[in-house]
Amino acid sequence: MSWKYFIKQQKSLQYYQNLHTFLNAQHTLGKKIYPPEQFIFNAFDLTPLKSIKVVILGQDPYHGEGQAHGLSFSVPEGIKVPPSLRNIYKELSTSIEGYNIPKSGNLEHWAKQGVLLLNSVLTVEKSVPSCHANKGWEIFTDNAIREINNTCSGVIFLLWGNYAHKKGRFIDTAKHTVLTSSHPSPLSAYRGFLGCQHFSNVNDILAERQEPLIIW
């Protein structure tokens, strides 16, 4: 199955039709919704199902002007690097030898190497974090993870924080690798994210399989 077919299939289901009705109502009320409509499925567009090596699961999109572009933890070129991503870069700088922290927060180059940057909820209202939780997106992304679990093999899932950990119930750990830690947010990064070595662990696993490493 391709992501295009998967998305078409999900859109035919009642839960998604209810979600679509909710989103249309928000637009009718004049609410500013992020990311822009053309980027809602950006993670799926940039990382085909058959190409997935790694899944990094976020919560919901950034809710500031110009930040969200459909990839978890990522922001477009020219947008200030958010605090969680700064901690991700900090962890990379201590776990990947020679890593230089970039000025850009755009992670499209990860997505194009097979790193699915998936948020659990794919839309948000401007300045109102988590306001689109429990409207149907979680069902969509649960089903996406089930699809990865069933279709792919040897995927490395990076689950950061309790919200992401809950998605682990859909993953067959005999078939895939699951690495967990606290969330990279400044509120929790010190509880286990910083020092987790996930990025070097991913490349160690890929090296053992004689697969191309991720150029973080």
Side-chain angles (χ1 to χ4, degrees):
M1 183 187 288
S2 67
W3 282 136
K4 187 176 180 181
Y5 181 81
F6 169 82
I7 293 168
K8 182 179 178 182
Q9 184 187 59
Q10 296 301 304
K11 285 181 174 180
S12 72
L13 301 177
Q14 187 61 52
Y15 88 84
Y16 194 97
Q17 290 166 25
N18 295 342
L19 170 63
H20 186 65
T21 299
F22 164 76
L23 292 172
N24 280 344
Q26 296 301 293
H27 285 295
T28 301
L29 291 168
K31 302 287 181 69
K32 184 77 171 176
I33 306 300
Y34 297 140
E37 191 170 357
Q38 69 268 29
F39 293 123
I40 289 174
F41 298 114
N42 202 18
F44 301 93
D45 293 337
L46 292 178
T47 313
L49 184 58
K50 66 180 185 302
S51 301
I52 295 172
K53 295 179 175 183
V54 180
V55 175
I56 298 179
L57 195 65
Q59 193 161 338
D60 65 342
Y62 295 122
H63 54 86
E65 182 73 40
Q67 289 182 306
H69 67 146
L71 304 175
S72 63
F73 298 104
S74 178
V75 291
E77 297 292 341
I79 299 293
K80 184 180 177 183
V81 176
S84 290
L85 184 53
R86 281 204 301 272
N87 281 333
I88 289 170
Y89 284 165
K90 186 176 179 182
E91 173 58 24
L92 273 160
S93 71
T94 62
S95 63
I96 301 291
E97 191 174 345
Y99 182 83
N100 293 312
I101 294 177
K103 290 185 171 66
S104 169
N106 190 336
L107 304 180
E108 286 183 9
H109 63 291
W110 292 11
K112 291 173 181 176
Q113 294 177 77
V115 181
L116 182 70
L117 296 165
L118 179 65
N119 279 316
S120 294
V121 174
L122 300 190
T123 57
V124 71
E125 182 185 336
K126 180 182 180 180
S127 303
V128 191
S130 301
C131 64
H132 290 186
N134 303 313
K135 303 298 184 186
W137 280 127
E138 291 92 344
I139 301 171
F140 179 90
T141 53
D142 285 353
N143 290 343
I145 288 174
R146 285 191 184 97
E147 191 61 40
I148 296 165
N149 182 68
N150 295 336
T151 303
C152 306
S153 60
V155 174
I156 307 163
F157 290 85
L158 306 185
L159 305 184
W160 300 333
N162 292 333
Y163 205 87
H165 295 172
K166 291 174 184 174
K167 296 282 195 189
R169 67 189 186 275
F170 304 116
I171 303 164
D172 179 356
T173 54
K175 190 177 177 187
H176 304 285
T177 301
V178 176
L179 303 178
T180 61
S181 80
S182 65
H183 194 275
S185 156
L187 297 174
S188 58
Y190 64 91
R191 294 188 202 140
F193 177 76
L194 294 174
C196 70
Q197 302 286 307
H198 281 183
F199 301 105
S200 55
N201 289 344
V202 165
N203 278 351
D204 288 346
I205 292 166
L206 294 173
E208 284 174 18
R209 298 176 185 166
Q210 298 185 318
E211 295 180 22
L213 307 187
I214 304 298
I215 301 168
W216 301 107

